[in-house]
Amino acid sequence: MAQAFSEITKEVVNRFMQNVLFVDDNAYQTDKNEKNAFDASQISSVFAKDGKLCTIFAPHSENDLSYCTSLFAKSDVIVLDWFLKLETDLVENEEADEEDDEPRGKYTKDLIREIIDDAKDEKLRLIVVYTEDGTKLYDIIKEIQSIVSDNSNYKTKEEDFRVFSSNVLILVRIKSSGVGDNPLKYNKDLQSKIVEYENLPTFISEEFANFVNGLLPNYALAAISSIRNNTSNILGVFSKDIDPAFIGHFVSIPDCNDAQSMLSKIIGTSVTNLIDTGGFNIENWIESWIDKNIKDCQVTI
């Protein structure tokens, strides 16, 4: 019997996913009594056990948020705290200071808006809002919905606290270290939205897999994984030792642009070979996809 297509997708996503970015101002909070403390060491260990890199960024001021843009581009999944308490820029008078008071969620909404604007309808993005404000989940999802209210491509499943388009998924979940008794665990509506640190890697992988669950996305993710995992192989082949040979070719041909074109083709062939030897069987995937999507039925005419 063919492997279930959903299981194939989970395996592909698990191989693909490498770096999860956390943005939380309390990530390195040493005071264990701090209500919004976020244990960066525990989170790093949890993802290390799952074979994934974990980048944890703790902004302290509004200016620090400018660093997020480059981090977003290098992250497979982005996890944001809802309430970022940051030092504001200096203001000239008390009136301006009062106007600059940070409403809860303002900075996170700005970051989500930036990610969405960059993604457009082209880039795949998974965002998890991971918050201590469990009782405010309905308010948070409405705030996020307001960001995309003018975009007809986005839909909202309020009961599951998710906003999504064809290529962007935003989830809101409740933060839990697993230590102590979370009062929300007795709330039937919110109990399933509590995600403990230990369960974060599995939760993120499953949500990613459910979101991309398709034959071509699987092939693309598997191909990218092969390239990522074998980057050092390509660099080893194209070493500085063959620079003289390339320079000799470059200066000896009538059109030097042909040398660059040849080099691009050679590297492209190396990448293609990596994908072709990636170890995934597209025929089995197709069989599983058909089992999942095509159902036998009898029609009387």
Side-chain angles (χ1 to χ4, degrees):
M1 183 177 179
Q3 185 181 12
F5 190 76
S6 59
E7 293 302 316
I8 292 174
T9 303
K10 288 179 183 178
E11 291 178 2
V12 170
V13 166
N14 197 46
R15 288 199 301 268
F16 164 80
M17 195 179 301
Q18 289 190 352
N19 192 18
V20 180
L21 170 66
F22 286 82
V23 179
D24 194 313
D25 59 312
N26 284 315
Y28 299 98
Q29 176 61 250
T30 56
D31 183 3
K32 297 299 182 180
N33 296 320
E34 169 63 36
K35 179 182 177 182
N36 295 315
F38 184 65
D39 195 331
S41 176
Q42 186 178 351
I43 285 290
S44 297
S45 297
V46 166
F47 279 89
K49 291 177 184 176
D50 202 54
K52 294 177 176 57
L53 298 173
C54 182
T55 301
I56 301 174
F57 177 51
H60 297 296
S61 69
E62 290 179 338
N63 289 333
D64 288 345
L65 293 183
S66 62
Y67 306 141
C68 288
T69 301
S70 59
L71 295 176
F72 290 158
K74 299 174 182 178
S75 305
D76 299 321
V77 178
I78 301 165
V79 184
L80 306 173
D81 185 28
W82 179 246
F83 179 44
L84 299 174
K85 189 175 182 181
L86 306 178
E87 297 176 4
T88 58
D89 296 333
L90 294 176
V91 293
E92 295 181 357
N93 52 59
E94 293 183 1
E95 182 179 352
D97 193 21
E98 291 177 1
E99 292 176 356
D100 202 45
D101 284 344
E102 192 270 314
R104 190 169 288 267
K106 173 186 180 296
Y107 295 123
T108 301
K109 286 170 63 178
D110 289 343
L111 293 177
I112 292 174
R113 190 176 290 108
E114 178 182 337
I115 297 168
I116 289 175
D117 289 345
D118 177 66
K120 297 182 175 61
D121 59 353
E122 301 167 351
K123 297 181 181 179
L124 186 68
R125 280 298 182 202
L126 173 58
I127 307 167
V128 180
V129 175
Y130 197 43
T131 178
E132 282 278 353
D133 295 335
T135 58
K136 303 290 186 182
L137 253 60
Y138 287 102
D139 295 331
I140 293 173
I141 201 66
K142 289 183 186 302
E143 289 287 338
I144 295 173
Q145 187 179 12
S146 69
I147 298 174
V148 297
S149 59
D150 295 333
N151 192 328
S152 59
N153 293 327
Y154 282 84
K155 300 178 181 178
T156 302
K157 284 189 177 180
E158 191 170 306
E159 69 282 0
D160 195 34
F161 304 99
R162 67 177 62 216
V163 174
F164 60 96
S165 68
S166 60
N167 61 302
V168 177
L169 172 62
I170 307 169
L171 298 163
V172 184
R173 291 298 183 264
I174 301 170
K175 185 188 302 181
S176 174
S177 65
V179 179
D181 192 26
N182 192 320
L184 293 175
K185 76 177 185 179
Y186 302 108
N187 185 318
K188 292 183 178 179
D189 294 333
L190 300 178
Q191 182 178 4
S192 62
K193 309 311 172 190
I194 300 172
V195 182
E196 295 182 359
Y197 293 173
E198 287 289 338
N199 299 326
L200 264 176
T202 300
F203 167 77
I204 289 174
S205 293
E206 289 182 349
E207 288 292 344
F208 200 118
N210 291 335
F211 188 48
V212 302
N213 195 17
L215 184 62
L216 294 186
N218 280 1
Y219 193 86
L221 291 173
I224 294 169
S225 299
S226 295
I227 298 169
R228 283 178 169 181
N229 295 334
N230 294 281
T231 301
S232 57
N233 293 22
I234 298 177
L235 294 176
V237 172
F238 294 92
S239 69
K240 62 183 180 181
D241 295 335
I242 58 176
D243 284 353
F246 173 71
I247 294 297
H249 175 69
F250 181 85
V251 300
S252 64
I253 58 177
D255 187 352
C256 58
N257 289 327
D258 289 343
Q260 181 176 345
S261 178
M262 181 201 69
L263 190 59
S264 297
K265 290 178 180 178
I266 293 174
I267 294 177
T269 300
S270 299
V271 171
T272 301
N273 291 336
L274 285 179
I275 296 173
D276 290 341
T277 58
F280 38 88
N281 191 326
I282 192 66
E283 291 183 5
N284 291 341
W285 292 8
I286 292 173
E287 182 181 350
S288 297
W289 186 94
I290 291 173
D291 289 342
K292 172 180 178 289
N293 294 281
I294 309 298
K295 304 300 180 184
D296 290 336
C297 64
Q298 183 175 357
V299 179
T300 302
I301 300 176

